Amino acid sequence: MNVNIAKGKSVVIMLFPILFIIMPRPPLNSTDFLVYPIIGLFCLYFTIVISKNYRFNMRVLFISFVIMLYSISISISAFFSNITLGFGALIHIFKPLLFILCLIFGYFIGVSCKSDKIFRYLLKAAYIIILVQIVIGLAQLFGLHLFDIIYSPSKARSLGQIVRITGTLDNPNLFAWFVIQMTLIIYLFENNKIKKILFIIIGVLLVFLSGSRTLFCLFPVILLMTQILLSNKNAKYYFTKIPKYIFLFILNYESK
């Protein structure tokens, strides 16, 4: 029985990011109002299942309480403002509840699983997500309407136009952001250097094809900062050498 529970948790670790990113988003109005409740129910169900043998951490309760206050403040502000609210706007008020469920779900996964298992299954999920984005992104890039019923291509632009792919997200910036997140997971947890370099290159190409210039410029900075934080350096390195390197770089740039 314990083995089955352990396997179930492993699947759940993979399933959450896969469900969140790859869940079908057809070209219909207000599809998010169907996607996010399903994710919320997923988190709620597995939180109840996993939490039976664990207790809440007070920090998690405090953060959940802060998010709840934030949600209530938005509701009160919207109620007393002179803004006409439609049904869709009211639904958005409940999004912080989804964030709370995701936070609590993540907490119980963290306390009930060993870190190496979480890393291993997040890595598997990252590979699956990136490969799916490649397949759907290439279809959008070449103007193939193979997945249009499942994933809305409304903001994607194929070759011959200003190229922009959105993968499963229907938003180029959101697509680029999640590609960066998955690439970072591979960068952090993959031991094979060839795979690591290959998927960093793939991640860079996908972000470039998303057309998000800001995230494309930030991507190498994020990788660099991740590497700096991973390195075993003391406080002197961060507060003396890093500022010195930045200063020398700026000085060299200005002298050209």
Side-chain angles (χ1 to χ4, degrees):
M1 182 67 180
N2 290 332
V3 174
N4 291 332
I5 291 172
K7 287 183 178 178
K9 289 176 185 176
S10 303
V11 172
V12 169
I13 293 168
M14 291 179 59
L15 194 57
F16 177 73
I18 290 173
L19 181 67
F20 193 88
I21 298 173
I22 300 182
M23 177 174 281
R25 291 172 172 84
L28 302 171
N29 291 330
S30 304
T31 345
D32 288 350
F33 299 151
L34 297 175
V35 173
Y36 293 128
I38 292 172
I39 294 170
L41 290 172
F42 169 89
C43 291
L44 180 62
Y45 173 75
F46 284 103
T47 296
I48 293 170
V49 171
I50 297 172
S51 65
K52 292 178 180 179
N53 299 320
Y54 301 93
R55 293 182 179 181
F56 273 108
N57 182 290
M58 290 305 297
R59 291 182 181 178
V60 176
L61 287 175
F62 174 74
I63 294 171
S64 300
F65 178 71
V66 170
I67 296 175
M68 182 65 72
L69 285 180
Y70 171 70
S71 179
I72 293 171
S73 67
I74 292 174
S75 305
I76 295 172
S77 175
F79 180 78
F80 286 104
S81 298
N82 295 322
I83 301 173
T84 303
L85 293 177
F87 176 74
L90 292 173
I91 292 293
H92 282 293
I93 292 173
F94 293 97
K95 276 190 176 180
L97 296 177
L98 173 65
F99 302 152
I100 292 172
L101 284 173
C102 292
L103 173 69
I104 295 173
F105 166 78
Y107 167 74
F108 281 116
I109 287 292
V111 296
S112 63
C113 297
K114 293 182 179 179
S115 58
D116 59 337
K117 178 183 289 186
I118 295 174
F119 299 160
R120 186 166 67 253
Y121 284 97
L122 279 179
L123 181 61
K124 290 182 179 181
Y127 278 127
I128 292 171
I129 290 167
I130 290 290
L131 291 174
V132 170
Q133 303 307 322
I134 291 171
V135 172
I136 296 173
L138 285 175
Q140 293 172 347
L141 181 65
F142 292 104
L144 304 175
H145 304 287
L146 302 175
F147 306 101
D148 290 5
I149 297 176
I150 306 174
Y151 300 108
S152 172
S154 60
K155 296 181 181 178
R157 300 291 181 270
S158 59
L159 289 170
Q161 310 175 59
I162 299 176
V163 173
R164 187 169 60 190
I165 64 174
T166 58
T168 62
L169 277 307
D170 190 34
N171 184 303
N173 295 314
L174 198 59
F175 166 75
W177 178 246
F178 278 116
V179 167
I180 290 174
Q181 297 304 308
M182 295 305 108
T183 307
L184 281 178
I185 288 174
I186 294 171
Y187 178 69
L188 290 170
F189 304 144
E190 179 56 70
N191 294 321
N192 188 308
K193 290 185 178 180
I194 296 175
K195 285 184 181 179
K196 185 182 292 191
I197 294 170
L198 175 63
F199 275 85
I200 288 174
I201 294 170
I202 291 172
V204 170
L205 289 174
L206 288 174
V207 173
F208 174 74
L209 291 173
S210 74
S212 177
R213 289 172 292 181
T214 302
L215 289 173
F216 181 71
C217 294
L218 281 176
F219 197 1
V221 177
I222 293 171
L223 283 173
L224 177 62
M225 292 304 298
T226 302
Q227 181 57 42
I228 290 173
L229 292 173
L230 280 175
S231 59
N232 296 320
K233 305 295 183 181
N234 55 27
K236 181 181 178 181
Y237 178 83
Y238 294 110
F239 291 105
T240 60
K241 290 190 176 181
I242 291 294
K244 183 175 70 175
Y245 294 151
I246 295 173
F247 174 75
L248 290 173
F249 173 78
I250 296 172
L251 188 65
N252 181 61
Y253 179 80
E254 291 294 334
S255 63
K256 292 182 180 180

